[in-house]
Amino acid sequence: MAKQKVYIERVLNSSSKNLIWSLISTASGLERWMADEVTEKNGALVFRWGETWTHHDIHTAYIINKVKDAAFRFKWDSDDDSDTYVELGMMKSDLTGNYTLTITDFAHEEDVEDIEDLWAEDLERLHRSTGL
């Protein structure tokens, strides 16, 4: 069964293009809200959740595309579906001048609610760590 697209938008309380871009496109930025540790090497991102000396999960993603100040796309190495990816994007509101974070992900129909909950937790972590 094919995965379906999950699209999430979150208005951020910031008009700083550089801040938003660094949060969605760099290992140090992603580490602030997506995982306990993120490292980048040779076009791959390594995400770690949990402490290294106890139970932890490590997943690798490969950077597919990066359009400066617009979108950052990567693919989990464990995902066999060639049509899926995760894309973090940013759009500026002409009305407020603030940015909106867009998230595109994919999940099987029975997992959509779980993936939405996971992103909600990440977005809450982003808010706690940055105020956005």
Side-chain angles (χ1 to χ4, degrees):
M1 180 201 277
K3 291 182 178 180
Q4 65 185 51
K5 188 181 283 191
V6 177
Y7 184 77
I8 299 166
E9 286 188 4
R10 169 77 172 263
V11 176
L12 302 176
N13 193 20
S14 176
S15 60
S16 173
K17 171 177 65 174
N18 293 336
L19 172 64
I20 305 304
W21 182 244
S22 71
L23 287 169
I24 69 170
S25 69
T26 66
S28 61
L30 294 169
E31 188 172 290
R32 293 186 70 180
W33 64 286
M34 280 189 66
D36 294 316
E37 181 181 41
V38 181
T39 55
E40 182 177 350
K41 185 176 181 182
N42 299 328
L45 295 166
V46 179
F47 293 79
R48 181 187 52 79
W49 293 270
E51 300 300 335
T52 54
W53 60 86
T54 64
H55 175 75
H56 60 277
D57 289 322
I58 296 176
H59 294 277
T60 302
Y62 297 100
I63 299 169
I64 298 172
N65 197 12
K66 196 185 249 193
V67 179
K68 185 166 175 39
D69 300 330
F72 181 67
R73 186 179 287 191
F74 59 88
K75 181 170 183 56
W76 297 111
D77 71 339
S78 58
D79 192 349
D80 294 332
D81 191 333
S82 62
D83 295 328
T84 63
Y85 53 86
V86 174
E87 184 173 278
L88 306 173
M90 54 190 278
M91 299 182 307
K92 186 173 185 176
S93 167
D94 293 333
L95 185 61
T96 66
N98 286 339
Y99 281 90
T100 297
L101 171 63
T102 62
I103 301 167
T104 305
D105 201 348
F106 291 82
H108 292 290
E109 185 176 344
E110 64 272 11
D111 298 326
V112 168
E113 190 174 322
D114 291 338
I115 203 80
E116 289 173 336
D117 289 346
L118 229 133
W119 282 113
E121 289 174 21
D122 287 344
L123 290 169
E124 180 56 32
R125 186 173 170 180
L126 174 66
H127 178 71
R128 282 193 317 269
S129 72
T130 66
L132 302 177

